[in-house]
Amino acid sequence: MDNLSNFNKDRKQKRKPSIDLGTMVYGKVPPQAKDLEEAVLGAIMLEKNAFDVVIEILKSECFYVDANQRIFQAMKSLADKSQPIDILTVVEELRSKSELEMVGGAYYVTRLTNMVVSSAHVEAHSRIILQKFIQRELIRISGEIIADAYEDAADVFDLLDSAEGKLFKITNNHLRKDYNPIDAVLIKTIQRIEDMRHRNEDITGVPSGFAPLDKVTYGWQNTDLIILAARPAVGKTAFALNLARNAVMSATKPTPVAFFSLEMSASQLVQRVLSAESEIWLEKIARGKLEEHEMKQLYARGIQRLAQAPLFIDDTAALNIFELRAKCRRLKNKHNIGMIIIDYLQLMSGTGADGKTTNREQEISNISRNLKGLAKELSVPIIALSQLSRAVEQRGSKEGSRVPQLSDLRESGAIEQDADMVMFLYRPDYYDITQSAEGENTKGLTEVKIAKHRNGSLETVKLKALLHIQKFIDWDDDPYQSIGLPAGDWKPVDAGDGNGASLSIQVGSRMNNMNMDDDDAPF
């Protein structure tokens, strides 16, 4: 017996320690709260108002147990049909869907009401269930990201877009902002009115830099989506750059601006801004044909002024809405940008990380809808440039017949619906109209026609285009004084959106510009 006991003792000592399955990555149980799921479902069947509380927080997929998912979906079906939700109606709804036996029969549904006494804590229980669901989703998404990252053929920027898109989907679908009672909104509104009353200036948003335009808009307002549309080569990019330059260089209210250019390189854009700021012809800057005094003027009036300006330019081609949203969030968090400009809308892609594509009209509709949502989320104005259809050119040559209309917006009527403001640029000399009906010289005249203004009036503002220096000024200003030339020497050069005189610079792959020590690196 002693030998046998010693043998068993030695066996126990040599036996390997037991493995704790809870410490193994693939052995962990997903986050869940089965008891709370049953308590919430039971509370809904006890109290008729409980479902209204729960449906604001949970969806059927938030439940971990399949039977609980089916029961909650049956409750939702009853609510959609305006029928009461109790044990009898839920059982009958499940029976009509042939799902009663799948959930454990009428006994399981009846047992749920024994889990709770009342619905007093149903909201707190629902939020815990939501937390567990989000944890499970994060685990699932993380696994997918890890698997995709091991693929050699995967593009790192596609992986980043995919990851950000999946995480945003969780936030957008399950962490929505709650409603506000009117008393809280009234307090904020009265405070804003009081602040505006005591201001010396009338501008309440980001100033455009053009007094007649600011008089109509009071500046570009936060959360607004503004569409700036025109035919090619009218001067959309030049005007948008003027708006950006005026915002970042404002003496009273400098505002950081993010400029996304899908058409031109960052170098070309900077050349245009330098031309407008230094008032040296764009053609000379683009070709590098500058005299010594012009180089001094370029440094003194252009480079030195713009070097510290909070203007952030992104020239990523074929930018999609998910990537744009991620970039804007990072710029908002890091640099507190106050305005976003996109050049231009039709060059954006609506295809997301899932790779699904739709027809172009639906794609543009999705982009414009997301831009409006982004403006509200970041509380900044977004100015999106847009092309016009050829319908403008087909309306004849009479004066005023080719002034753009809302129906001319290209590819989607959703742009008009989603926008808070729609502005058109119209230049009579673009159509070789050199005189108005009253005999007024229209050389350089640019009409900014506000065709839609959700919070203001519809007006037409007159500006003067000096496209040879990529600058717009008020119509009544003296252009010769602005550019520092005598009257006889003013010879405008066509350097509009056609960009015939600009130097084309190829950026190449974004990976070539990556610097891990640089705060502005793509990571």
Side-chain angles (χ1 to χ4, degrees):
M1 290 292 295
D2 292 340
N3 293 334
L4 181 60
S5 61
N6 290 335
F7 176 76
N8 290 333
K9 185 177 180 180
D10 292 340
R11 278 183 56 196
K12 291 179 180 179
Q13 290 176 349
K14 294 179 181 179
R15 184 182 300 166
K16 293 181 179 180
S18 59
I19 299 175
D20 183 6
L21 295 178
T23 63
M24 296 178 61
V25 175
Y26 295 101
K28 290 185 177 179
V29 178
Q32 56 188 284
K34 294 182 182 179
D35 293 341
L36 293 181
E37 290 182 10
E38 294 175 357
V40 167
L41 294 176
I44 293 174
M45 289 187 286
L46 286 179
E47 300 284 346
K48 64 178 182 178
N49 296 325
F51 181 80
D52 296 333
V53 176
V54 175
I55 197 64
E56 289 287 331
I57 304 171
L58 299 177
K59 298 181 180 180
S60 58
E61 62 265 24
C62 296
F63 290 85
Y64 178 72
V65 179
D66 179 69
N68 295 340
Q69 286 189 15
R70 295 177 186 273
I71 292 172
F72 188 77
Q73 188 61 41
M75 292 175 173
K76 186 175 183 300
S77 299
L78 290 170
D80 291 340
K81 293 183 285 189
S82 300
Q83 295 185 10
I85 301 174
D86 55 33
I87 295 176
L88 297 178
T89 56
V90 171
V91 168
E92 187 60 32
E93 182 68 20
L94 289 168
R95 184 179 286 115
S96 67
K97 295 182 176 181
S98 301
E99 294 182 350
L100 184 58
E101 297 305 320
M102 295 180 185
V103 304
Y107 169 76
Y108 180 76
V109 178
T110 304
R111 189 174 68 84
L112 293 175
T113 58
N114 297 328
M115 300 296 297
V116 290
V117 177
S118 71
S119 63
H121 305 294
V122 67
E123 182 176 356
H125 293 166
S126 298
R127 296 198 181 279
I128 295 174
I129 295 172
L130 177 62
Q131 291 174 14
K132 300 298 182 183
F133 167 74
I134 292 176
Q135 287 178 275
R136 295 197 300 272
E137 284 295 284
L138 289 174
I139 292 171
R140 179 183 64 81
I141 290 171
S142 299
E144 293 177 356
I145 293 172
I146 291 171
D148 292 340
Y150 274 106
E151 295 291 335
D152 293 335
D155 182 86
V156 64
F157 294 101
D158 290 340
L159 290 177
L160 288 173
D161 292 342
S162 175
E164 289 179 340
K166 291 175 180 177
L167 291 173
F168 174 77
K169 189 175 181 181
I170 294 178
T171 305
N172 193 47
N173 291 345
H174 301 286
L175 297 177
R176 305 184 70 85
K177 187 178 178 181
D178 202 359
Y179 59 83
N180 292 313
I182 192 170
D183 57 346
V185 181
L186 279 172
I187 292 173
K188 293 181 180 179
T189 304
I190 292 172
Q191 289 176 345
R192 182 174 182 271
I193 293 172
E194 287 290 343
D195 291 342
M196 292 168 61
R197 283 184 63 229
H198 294 93
R199 283 185 178 181
N200 294 326
E201 71 277 2
D202 293 330
I203 299 175
T204 59
V206 179
S208 69
F210 302 106
L213 189 56
D214 285 333
K215 188 176 180 180
V216 180
T217 64
Y218 302 103
W220 312 120
Q221 303 298 317
N222 290 340
T223 74
D224 276 5
L225 173 60
I226 301 121
I227 300 297
L228 174 62
R231 289 292 293 155
V234 169
K236 293 189 303 297
T237 301
F239 185 67
L241 284 172
N242 272 241
L243 298 179
R245 185 176 62 88
N246 292 340
V248 300
M249 302 291 289
S250 173
T252 57
K253 189 180 178 182
T255 303
V257 175
F259 197 105
F260 292 89
S261 176
L262 288 81
E263 184 179 28
M264 300 173 61
S265 70
S267 177
Q268 291 172 315
L269 293 177
V270 171
Q271 290 175 26
R272 290 177 170 227
V273 178
L274 283 173
S275 176
E277 189 65 25
S278 66
E279 298 185 343
I280 297 175
W281 288 21
L282 174 62
E283 182 181 19
K284 302 188 75 172
I285 293 176
R287 295 182 178 179
K289 302 297 184 181
L290 298 175
E291 302 293 338
E292 187 63 30
H293 72 277
E294 290 174 325
M295 282 300 300
K296 292 179 180 179
Q297 181 178 336
L298 185 66
Y299 274 102
R301 298 183 58 183
I303 296 174
Q304 289 185 6
R305 290 182 184 178
L306 291 170
Q308 303 301 322
L311 177 60
F312 306 94
I313 299 175
D314 187 303
D315 60 358
T316 305
L319 194 68
N320 65 53
I321 188 63
F322 294 99
E323 190 174 5
L324 172 75
R325 189 160 46 205
K327 287 173 179 285
C328 290
R329 284 175 179 154
R330 289 196 288 267
L331 285 168
K332 180 67 174 179
N333 293 331
K334 187 174 180 180
H335 300 289
N336 194 30
I337 56 172
M339 185 166 71
I340 298 168
I341 300 177
I342 302 166
D343 182 18
Y344 59 90
L345 187 64
Q346 280 78 14
L347 289 179
M348 287 191 66
S349 168
T351 305
D354 55 3
K356 295 181 180 178
T357 57
T358 55
N359 66 59
R360 187 56 180 165
E361 183 174 348
Q362 292 176 342
E363 193 173 13
I364 293 294
S365 300
N366 179 58
I367 292 170
S368 64
R369 185 166 56 249
N370 276 277
L371 288 180
K372 175 58 184 175
L374 182 63
K376 290 187 65 177
E377 178 188 342
L378 301 183
S379 189
V380 299
I382 294 181
I383 300 177
L385 279 59
S386 176
Q387 291 280 22
L388 294 177
S389 66
R390 289 193 179 92
V392 179
E393 316 291 342
Q394 299 170 358
R395 284 203 288 263
S397 58
K398 293 182 180 179
E399 183 184 0
S401 62
R402 291 179 176 174
V403 176
Q405 304 172 4
L406 287 173
S407 58
D408 297 326
L409 285 171
R410 186 174 168 187
E411 289 183 327
S412 177
I415 300 175
E416 172 189 347
Q417 298 171 13
D418 296 328
D420 297 280
M421 183 186 300
V422 178
M423 300 186 301
F424 296 115
L425 290 186
Y426 171 70
R427 281 184 24 230
D429 60 357
Y430 178 81
Y431 298 104
D432 296 325
I433 301 174
T434 57
Q435 284 189 338
S436 65
E438 294 78 17
E440 183 183 19
N441 183 14
T442 60
K443 187 65 176 179
L445 172 64
T446 301
E447 294 182 355
V448 182
K449 178 184 178 183
I450 301 177
K452 178 184 178 182
H453 193 186
R454 188 165 285 164
N455 301 308
S457 60
L458 306 181
E459 302 282 349
T460 298
V461 176
K462 289 185 177 183
L463 300 178
K464 185 168 293 184
L466 310 176
L467 292 182
H468 58 296
I469 58 170
Q470 295 294 287
K471 192 171 184 177
F472 287 80
I473 60 175
D474 292 341
W475 177 247
D476 295 329
D477 288 350
D478 182 5
Y480 310 121
Q481 182 180 359
S482 172
I483 62 177
L485 291 175
D489 291 341
W490 184 50
K491 297 179 180 179
V493 174
D494 184 9
D497 281 356
N499 198 34
S502 296
L503 180 62
S504 178
I505 301 175
Q506 185 174 354
V507 175
S509 172
R510 284 175 283 168
M511 292 294 289
N512 297 334
N513 297 327
M514 204 185 319
N515 183 354
M516 294 304 178
D517 296 327
D518 189 354
D519 290 339
D520 294 327
F523 298 101

